Amino acid sequence: MAITNDILGEEELCAIADVWHKRGLAAWLERNRIPYVLARSGWPRVHRKALEHAMGVRDKTVANSTTVDFNFDSIK
């Protein structure tokens, strides 16, 4: 899988955070201790695994399982 498929952009992050501007999104990520980098545009970019970790996703122990459980209560 290409690394760019694992990077969340502004549309996905804004929908998750319900914040629709650059600075507010960066502040939300910082409050939730989710690591990010800024793109040239100034929008935060987050690796999918970092967001999953912050949301309390645990890998399934079933072999070859691609299902994950999201815990939305773990983010503010």
Side-chain angles (χ1 to χ4, degrees):
M1 182 182 296
I3 193 165
T4 55
N5 292 339
D6 291 333
I7 304 298
L8 302 173
E10 63 263 18
E11 288 183 28
E12 289 173 293
L13 290 171
C14 287
I16 292 166
D18 197 27
V19 177
W20 301 94
H21 47 90
K22 297 174 191 180
R23 290 186 187 131
L25 184 55
W28 182 87
L29 291 165
E30 289 172 13
R31 274 194 314 274
N32 288 286
R33 296 185 175 120
I34 301 172
Y36 67 93
V37 296
L38 293 178
R40 268 194 242 183
S41 64
W43 282 97
R45 298 290 189 256
V46 173
H47 193 278
R48 187 172 307 280
K49 293 285 185 188
L51 183 63
E52 289 176 356
H53 178 73
M55 296 174 76
V57 173
R58 302 291 180 252
D59 290 334
K60 297 282 186 172
T61 57
V62 178
N64 299 324
S65 175
T66 58
T67 305
V68 293
D69 296 324
F70 286 101
N71 178 2
F72 288 98
D73 295 330
S74 67
I75 58 176
K76 300 174 187 169

Coordinates of all heavy atoms in Angstrom, one line a residue:
M1 N 0.8 -1.2 0.0 CA 0.0 0.0 0.0 C 0.9 1.2 0.0 O 1.8 1.3 0.7 CB -0.9 0.0 1.2 CG -1.8 1.2 1.3 SD -2.9 1.2 2.8 CE -3.8 -0.3 2.5
A2 N 0.6 2.2 -0.8 CA 1.3 3.4 -0.9 C 1.1 4.3 0.3 O 0.0 4.3 0.9 CB 0.9 4.2 -2.1
I3 N 2.2 5.0 0.8 CA 2.1 5.8 2.0 C 1.0 6.9 1.9 O 0.4 7.2 2.8 CB 3.5 6.3 2.4 CG1 3.4 6.9 3.8 CG2 3.9 7.4 1.4 CD1 4.7 7.1 4.4
T4 N 0.9 7.4 0.7 CA -0.1 8.5 0.5 C -1.5 8.0 0.8 O -2.4 8.8 1.2 CB 0.0 9.1 -0.9 OG1 -0.2 8.1 -1.9 CG2 1.3 9.8 -1.1
N5 N -1.8 6.8 0.6 CA -3.2 6.2 1.0 C -3.4 6.2 2.5 O -4.5 6.2 2.9 CB -3.3 4.8 0.4 CG -3.4 4.8 -1.1 OD1 -3.7 5.8 -1.7 ND2 -3.1 3.6 -1.6
D6 N -2.3 6.3 3.2 CA -2.4 6.3 4.7 C -2.4 7.7 5.3 O -2.4 7.8 6.5 CB -1.3 5.4 5.3 CG -1.4 4.0 5.0 OD1 -2.6 3.5 4.8 OD2 -0.4 3.3 4.9
I7 N -2.3 8.7 4.5 CA -2.2 10.1 5.0 C -3.6 10.7 4.8 O -4.2 10.7 3.7 CB -1.2 10.9 4.2 CG1 0.2 10.3 4.3 CG2 -1.2 12.4 4.7 CD1 0.8 10.1 5.7
L8 N -4.1 11.2 5.9 CA -5.5 11.8 5.9 C -5.3 13.3 5.6 O -4.5 14.0 6.2 CB -6.2 11.7 7.2 CG -6.4 10.3 7.7 CD1 -6.9 10.2 9.1 CD2 -7.3 9.5 6.8
G9 N -6.1 13.8 4.7 CA -6.0 15.2 4.3 C -7.1 16.0 5.0 O -7.8 15.5 5.9
E10 N -7.2 17.3 4.6 CA -8.1 18.2 5.3 C -9.6 17.8 5.3 O -10.3 18.0 6.3 CB -7.9 19.7 4.9 CG -8.3 19.9 3.4 CD -7.1 19.9 2.5 OE1 -6.0 19.4 2.8 OE2 -7.2 20.4 1.4
E11 N -10.1 17.3 4.2 CA -11.5 16.9 4.1 C -11.8 15.9 5.2 O -12.8 16.0 5.9 CB -11.9 16.5 2.7 CG -11.9 17.6 1.8 CD -12.4 17.2 0.4 OE1 -13.1 16.2 0.3 OE2 -12.0 17.9 -0.6
E12 N -11.0 14.8 5.2 CA -11.3 13.7 6.1 C -11.1 14.2 7.6 O -12.0 13.9 8.4 CB -10.4 12.5 5.9 CG -10.7 11.8 4.6 CD -9.6 10.7 4.3 OE1 -8.5 11.1 4.0 OE2 -10.0 9.6 4.4
L13 N -10.1 14.9 7.9 CA -9.8 15.4 9.2 C -10.9 16.4 9.7 O -11.3 16.3 10.8 CB -8.4 16.0 9.3 CG -7.3 15.0 9.2 CD1 -5.9 15.8 9.1 CD2 -7.2 14.1 10.4
C14 N -11.3 17.3 8.8 CA -12.3 18.3 9.2 C -13.6 17.6 9.5 O -14.3 17.9 10.5 CB -12.5 19.3 8.1 SG -11.1 20.5 7.9
A15 N -13.9 16.6 8.8 CA -15.2 15.8 9.0 C -15.1 15.1 10.4 O -16.1 15.1 11.1 CB -15.4 14.8 7.9
I16 N -14.0 14.5 10.7 CA -13.8 13.8 12.0 C -13.9 14.8 13.1 O -14.5 14.6 14.1 CB -12.5 13.0 12.0 CG1 -12.6 11.9 11.0 CG2 -12.2 12.5 13.4 CD1 -11.3 11.2 10.6
A17 N -13.1 15.9 13.0 CA -13.0 16.9 14.1 C -14.2 17.9 14.2 O -14.4 18.5 15.2 CB -11.7 17.7 13.9
D18 N -14.9 18.0 13.1 CA -16.0 19.0 13.0 C -15.4 20.4 13.1 O -16.0 21.2 13.8 CB -17.1 18.7 13.9 CG -18.4 19.4 13.6 OD1 -18.6 19.7 12.4 OD2 -19.2 19.8 14.5
V19 N -14.2 20.6 12.6 CA -13.5 21.9 12.6 C -13.2 22.1 11.1 O -12.6 21.2 10.5 CB -12.3 21.8 13.4 CG1 -11.5 23.1 13.4 CG2 -12.6 21.5 14.9
W20 N -13.5 23.3 10.6 CA -13.3 23.5 9.2 C -12.3 24.6 8.8 O -12.4 25.2 7.7 CB -14.7 23.8 8.6 CG -15.6 22.7 8.8 CD1 -16.5 22.6 9.9 CD2 -15.7 21.4 8.1 NE1 -17.1 21.3 9.9 CE2 -16.6 20.6 8.8 CE3 -15.0 20.9 7.0 CZ2 -17.0 19.4 8.4 CZ3 -15.4 19.7 6.6 CH2 -16.3 18.9 7.2
H21 N -11.3 24.9 9.6 CA -10.3 25.8 9.3 C -8.9 25.3 9.8 O -8.9 24.5 10.7 CB -10.5 27.2 9.7 CG -11.0 27.3 11.2 ND1 -10.1 27.5 12.2 CD2 -12.2 27.3 11.7 CE1 -10.8 27.5 13.3 NE2 -12.0 27.4 13.1
K22 N -7.8 25.7 9.1 CA -6.5 25.2 9.4 C -6.1 25.3 10.9 O -5.7 24.3 11.4 CB -5.4 25.9 8.6 CG -5.6 25.8 7.1 CD -4.6 26.7 6.4 CE -4.9 26.9 4.9 NZ -3.9 27.7 4.3
R23 N -6.1 26.4 11.4 CA -5.7 26.6 12.8 C -6.5 25.9 13.8 O -6.0 25.3 14.7 CB -5.6 28.1 13.1 CG -4.5 28.8 12.4 CD -4.4 30.3 12.8 NE -3.4 30.9 12.0 CZ -3.6 32.1 11.4 NH1 -4.8 32.7 11.6 NH2 -2.7 32.7 10.6
G24 N -7.8 25.9 13.6 CA -8.7 25.1 14.5 C -8.4 23.6 14.4 O -8.4 23.0 15.5
L25 N -8.2 23.1 13.2 CA -7.9 21.7 13.1 C -6.6 21.4 13.8 O -6.5 20.4 14.5 CB -7.8 21.3 11.6 CG -7.6 19.9 11.3 CD1 -8.7 19.0 12.0 CD2 -7.7 19.6 9.8
A26 N -5.5 22.2 13.6 CA -4.2 21.9 14.2 C -4.4 22.0 15.7 O -3.9 21.1 16.5 CB -3.2 23.0 13.8
A27 N -5.2 22.9 16.2 CA -5.4 23.0 17.7 C -6.2 21.7 18.2 O -5.8 21.2 19.3 CB -6.3 24.3 18.0
W28 N -7.1 21.3 17.4 CA -7.9 20.0 17.8 C -6.9 18.8 17.9 O -7.0 18.1 18.8 CB -9.0 19.8 16.8 CG -9.8 18.6 17.2 CD1 -10.9 18.6 18.0 CD2 -9.7 17.3 16.6 NE1 -11.4 17.3 18.0 CE2 -10.7 16.5 17.2 CE3 -8.8 16.7 15.8 CZ2 -10.8 15.1 16.9 CZ3 -8.9 15.3 15.5 CH2 -9.9 14.6 16.1
L29 N -6.0 18.7 16.9 CA -5.1 17.6 16.8 C -4.1 17.7 18.1 O -3.9 16.7 18.7 CB -4.3 17.7 15.5 CG -5.1 17.3 14.3 CD1 -4.3 17.7 13.0 CD2 -5.4 15.8 14.3
E30 N -3.7 18.9 18.4 CA -2.8 19.1 19.5 C -3.5 18.7 20.8 O -2.9 18.1 21.7 CB -2.2 20.5 19.6 CG -1.3 20.8 18.5 CD -0.8 22.2 18.3 OE1 -1.1 23.0 19.2 OE2 -0.2 22.6 17.3
R31 N -4.7 19.2 21.0 CA -5.5 18.9 22.2 C -5.7 17.4 22.4 O -5.7 16.9 23.5 CB -6.9 19.5 22.2 CG -7.0 20.9 22.7 CD -8.4 21.3 22.9 NE -9.4 21.0 21.8 CZ -9.6 21.8 20.7 NH1 -8.9 22.9 20.6 NH2 -10.5 21.4 19.8
N32 N -5.8 16.7 21.3 CA -6.0 15.2 21.3 C -4.7 14.4 21.2 O -4.7 13.2 21.0 CB -7.0 14.8 20.3 CG -8.4 15.2 20.7 OD1 -9.0 14.6 21.5 ND2 -8.9 16.3 20.0
R33 N -3.6 15.2 21.2 CA -2.3 14.6 21.2 C -2.1 13.7 19.9 O -1.5 12.6 20.0 CB -1.9 13.8 22.4 CG -1.9 14.7 23.6 CD -1.4 14.0 24.9 NE -1.3 14.9 26.0 CZ -2.0 14.8 27.1 NH1 -2.9 13.9 27.3 NH2 -1.8 15.7 28.0
I34 N -2.6 14.1 18.8 CA -2.4 13.4 17.6 C -1.3 14.1 16.8 O -1.4 15.2 16.4 CB -3.8 13.4 16.8 CG1 -4.9 12.8 17.6 CG2 -3.6 12.7 15.4 CD1 -6.3 12.9 17.0
P35 N -0.2 13.4 16.5 CA 0.9 14.0 15.7 C 0.5 14.3 14.3 O -0.3 13.6 13.7 CB 2.0 12.9 15.8 CG 1.3 11.6 16.1 CD 0.0 12.0 16.8
Y36 N 1.0 15.4 13.8 CA 0.7 15.8 12.4 C 1.8 16.6 11.9 O 2.7 17.0 12.6 CB -0.6 16.7 12.4 CG -0.5 18.0 13.1 CD1 -0.1 19.1 12.4 CD2 -0.7 18.1 14.5 CE1 0.0 20.4 13.0 CE2 -0.6 19.4 15.1 CZ -0.2 20.5 14.4 OH -0.1 21.7 15.0
V37 N 1.8 16.8 10.6 CA 2.8 17.6 9.9 C 1.9 18.6 9.0 O 0.8 18.3 8.7 CB 3.8 16.9 9.0 CG1 4.7 16.0 9.8 CG2 3.0 16.1 7.9
L38 N 2.5 19.7 8.8 CA 1.8 20.7 7.9 C 2.2 20.6 6.5 O 3.4 20.5 6.2 CB 2.1 22.1 8.4 CG 1.5 22.5 9.8 CD1 2.0 23.9 10.1 CD2 0.0 22.4 9.8
A39 N 1.2 20.5 5.6 CA 1.5 20.5 4.2 C 1.9 21.9 3.8 O 1.8 22.9 4.5 CB 0.3 20.1 3.4
R40 N 2.4 22.1 2.6 CA 2.8 23.4 2.1 C 1.6 24.4 2.1 O 1.8 25.6 2.3 CB 3.3 23.4 0.6 CG 4.7 23.2 0.5 CD 5.1 23.5 -0.9 NE 5.7 22.3 -1.4 CZ 6.3 22.1 -2.6 NH1 6.2 23.2 -3.4 NH2 6.8 21.0 -2.9
S41 N 0.4 23.9 2.0 CA -0.8 24.7 2.0 C -1.1 25.2 3.4 O -2.0 26.1 3.6 CB -2.0 23.9 1.5 OG -2.2 22.8 2.4
G42 N -0.5 24.6 4.5 CA -0.7 25.0 5.8 C -1.7 24.1 6.5 O -2.0 24.2 7.7
W43 N -2.3 23.1 5.8 CA -3.3 22.2 6.3 C -2.5 21.0 7.0 O -1.6 20.5 6.5 CB -4.2 21.6 5.3 CG -5.3 22.6 4.9 CD1 -5.3 23.4 3.8 CD2 -6.5 22.8 5.6 NE1 -6.5 24.1 3.8 CE2 -7.2 23.8 4.8 CE3 -7.1 22.2 6.7 CZ2 -8.5 24.2 5.2 CZ3 -8.4 22.7 7.1 CH2 -9.1 23.6 6.3
P44 N -3.0 20.6 8.2 CA -2.4 19.5 8.8 C -2.6 18.2 8.1 O -3.7 18.0 7.4 CB -3.1 19.4 10.2 CG -3.7 20.7 10.4 CD -4.0 21.2 9.0
R45 N -1.6 17.3 8.1 CA -1.7 15.9 7.5 C -1.4 14.9 8.7 O -0.5 15.1 9.4 CB -0.7 15.7 6.4 CG -0.9 16.7 5.2 CD -2.2 16.3 4.5 NE -2.3 17.0 3.2 CZ -3.1 18.1 3.0 NH1 -3.8 18.5 4.0 NH2 -3.1 18.7 1.9
V46 N -2.2 13.9 8.7 CA -2.1 12.9 9.8 C -2.1 11.5 9.2 O -2.8 11.2 8.2 CB -3.3 13.0 10.8 CG1 -3.3 11.9 11.8 CG2 -3.4 14.4 11.4
H47 N -1.2 10.7 9.7 CA -1.2 9.3 9.3 C -2.4 8.6 9.9 O -2.7 8.8 11.1 CB 0.1 8.6 9.7 CG 0.4 7.3 9.1 ND1 -0.2 6.2 9.5 CD2 1.1 7.0 8.0 CE1 0.2 5.2 8.7 NE2 1.0 5.6 7.8
R48 N -3.0 7.7 9.1 CA -4.2 7.0 9.5 C -3.9 6.2 10.8 O -4.8 6.2 11.7 CB -4.6 6.0 8.4 CG -5.9 5.3 8.6 CD -6.3 4.6 7.4 NE -6.4 5.4 6.2 CZ -7.3 6.2 5.8 NH1 -8.4 6.3 6.6 NH2 -7.3 6.8 4.7
K49 N -2.8 5.6 11.0 CA -2.4 4.8 12.2 C -2.4 5.7 13.4 O -2.8 5.3 14.5 CB -1.1 4.1 12.0 CG -1.2 3.0 11.0 CD -1.9 1.8 11.5 CE -1.8 0.7 10.5 NZ -2.7 -0.4 10.8
A50 N -1.9 7.0 13.3 CA -1.8 7.9 14.4 C -3.2 8.2 14.9 O -3.5 8.3 16.1 CB -1.1 9.2 14.0
L51 N -4.1 8.5 14.0 CA -5.5 8.7 14.3 C -6.2 7.5 15.0 O -6.9 7.6 16.0 CB -6.3 9.2 13.1 CG -7.8 9.6 13.4 CD1 -7.8 10.8 14.4 CD2 -8.5 9.9 12.1
E52 N -6.0 6.4 14.4 CA -6.5 5.1 14.9 C -6.0 4.9 16.4 O -6.8 4.6 17.3 CB -6.2 3.9 14.1 CG -6.9 3.9 12.8 CD -6.5 2.8 11.8 OE1 -5.6 2.0 12.2 OE2 -7.1 2.6 10.8
H53 N -4.8 5.1 16.6 CA -4.2 5.0 17.9 C -4.8 5.9 18.9 O -5.2 5.5 20.0 CB -2.7 5.2 17.9 CG -2.0 5.1 19.2 ND1 -1.8 3.9 19.9 CD2 -1.5 6.0 20.0 CE1 -1.2 4.1 21.0 NE2 -1.1 5.4 21.1
A54 N -5.0 7.2 18.5 CA -5.6 8.2 19.4 C -7.1 7.8 19.7 O -7.6 8.2 20.8 CB -5.5 9.6 18.7
M55 N -7.7 7.1 18.8 CA -9.1 6.8 19.0 C -9.3 5.5 19.7 O -10.4 5.0 19.9 CB -9.8 6.7 17.6 CG -9.9 8.1 16.9 SD -10.6 8.0 15.3 CE -12.3 7.8 15.6
G56 N -8.2 4.9 20.1 CA -8.3 3.7 20.9 C -8.5 2.4 20.1 O -8.9 1.4 20.6
V57 N -8.1 2.4 18.8 CA -8.3 1.2 18.0 C -7.3 0.2 18.4 O -6.1 0.5 18.6 CB -8.1 1.6 16.5 CG1 -8.1 0.3 15.6 CG2 -9.2 2.5 16.0
R58 N -7.7 -1.0 18.6 CA -6.8 -2.1 18.9 C -6.9 -3.1 17.7 O -7.9 -3.4 17.2 CB -7.3 -2.8 20.1 CG -7.4 -2.0 21.4 CD -6.0 -1.5 21.8 NE -6.0 -0.7 23.0 CZ -5.8 0.6 23.0 NH1 -5.5 1.2 21.8 NH2 -5.8 1.3 24.1
D59 N -5.7 -3.6 17.3 CA -5.6 -4.6 16.3 C -6.4 -5.8 16.7 O -6.2 -6.3 17.8 CB -4.2 -4.9 15.9 CG -3.5 -3.8 15.2 OD1 -4.2 -2.9 14.6 OD2 -2.2 -3.7 15.4
K60 N -7.1 -6.4 15.8 CA -7.8 -7.6 16.0 C -6.8 -8.8 16.1 O -5.7 -8.7 15.4 CB -8.8 -7.9 14.9 CG -9.9 -6.9 14.8 CD -10.9 -7.2 15.9 CE -12.1 -6.3 15.6 NZ -13.2 -6.5 16.5
T61 N -7.0 -9.7 16.9 CA -6.1 -10.9 17.0 C -6.4 -11.9 16.0 O -5.6 -12.9 15.8 CB -6.2 -11.5 18.4 OG1 -7.5 -11.9 18.7 CG2 -5.7 -10.5 19.5
V62 N -7.5 -11.8 15.3 CA -7.8 -12.7 14.2 C -6.9 -12.5 13.0 O -6.7 -11.4 12.6 CB -9.3 -12.5 13.8 CG1 -9.7 -13.5 12.7 CG2 -10.2 -12.7 15.0
A63 N -6.3 -13.6 12.5 CA -5.4 -13.5 11.4 C -6.1 -13.0 10.2 O -7.2 -13.3 9.9 CB -4.8 -14.9 11.1
N64 N -5.4 -12.1 9.5 CA -5.8 -11.5 8.2 C -7.1 -10.7 8.3 O -7.8 -10.4 7.4 CB -6.1 -12.6 7.1 CG -4.8 -13.3 6.8 OD1 -3.7 -12.7 6.8 ND2 -4.9 -14.6 6.6
S65 N -7.4 -10.2 9.5 CA -8.6 -9.3 9.7 C -8.3 -7.9 9.4 O -7.2 -7.4 9.7 CB -9.0 -9.4 11.2 OG -10.1 -8.5 11.4
T66 N -9.1 -7.3 8.6 CA -9.0 -5.9 8.3 C -10.0 -5.0 9.0 O -10.0 -3.8 8.8 CB -9.1 -5.6 6.7 OG1 -10.4 -6.1 6.3 CG2 -8.0 -6.4 6.0
T67 N -10.8 -5.5 9.9 CA -11.8 -4.8 10.6 C -11.1 -4.1 11.8 O -10.3 -4.7 12.5 CB -12.9 -5.8 11.1 OG1 -13.4 -6.4 10.0 CG2 -14.0 -5.0 11.8
V68 N -11.5 -2.9 12.1 CA -11.0 -2.2 13.3 C -12.2 -1.6 14.0 O -13.3 -1.3 13.4 CB -10.0 -1.0 12.9 CG1 -8.8 -1.6 12.3 CG2 -10.7 0.0 11.9
D69 N -12.1 -1.4 15.3 CA -13.1 -0.8 16.1 C -12.7 0.6 16.5 O -11.6 0.8 17.1 CB -13.4 -1.6 17.4 CG -13.9 -3.0 17.1 OD1 -14.7 -3.2 16.1 OD2 -13.5 -4.0 17.8
F70 N -13.6 1.6 16.2 CA -13.2 3.0 16.5 C -13.9 3.3 17.9 O -15.0 2.9 18.1 CB -13.7 3.9 15.5 CG -12.9 3.9 14.2 CD1 -13.4 3.2 13.1 CD2 -11.7 4.6 14.2 CE1 -12.6 3.2 12.0 CE2 -10.9 4.5 13.0 CZ -11.4 3.9 11.9
N71 N -13.2 4.0 18.7 CA -13.7 4.5 20.0 C -13.7 6.0 19.9 O -12.8 6.7 20.3 CB -12.8 4.0 21.1 CG -13.3 4.5 22.5 OD1 -14.3 5.2 22.6 ND2 -12.5 4.1 23.5
F72 N -14.9 6.5 19.5 CA -15.0 8.0 19.3 C -15.0 8.7 20.6 O -14.8 9.9 20.7 CB -16.2 8.3 18.5 CG -16.1 8.0 17.0 CD1 -16.6 6.8 16.5 CD2 -15.4 8.9 16.2 CE1 -16.5 6.5 15.2 CE2 -15.3 8.6 14.9 CZ -15.8 7.4 14.4
D73 N -15.3 8.0 21.7 CA -15.3 8.6 23.1 C -13.9 9.0 23.5 O -13.8 9.8 24.5 CB -16.0 7.7 24.1 CG -17.4 7.5 23.8 OD1 -18.1 8.4 23.2 OD2 -17.9 6.4 24.1
S74 N -12.9 8.5 22.9 CA -11.5 8.7 23.4 C -11.0 10.0 22.9 O -9.9 10.5 23.3 CB -10.6 7.6 23.0 OG -10.4 7.5 21.6
I75 N -11.7 10.7 21.9 CA -11.2 12.0 21.4 C -12.2 13.1 21.9 O -13.4 12.8 22.1 CB -11.1 12.0 19.9 CG1 -12.3 11.6 19.2 CG2 -9.9 11.1 19.5 CD1 -12.3 11.7 17.7
K76 N -11.7 14.3 22.0 CA -12.5 15.4 22.5 C -13.2 16.1 21.3 O -12.7 16.3 20.3 CB -11.7 16.4 23.3 CG -11.0 15.7 24.5 CD -10.1 16.6 25.1 CE -9.4 15.9 26.2 NZ -8.3 16.5 26.8

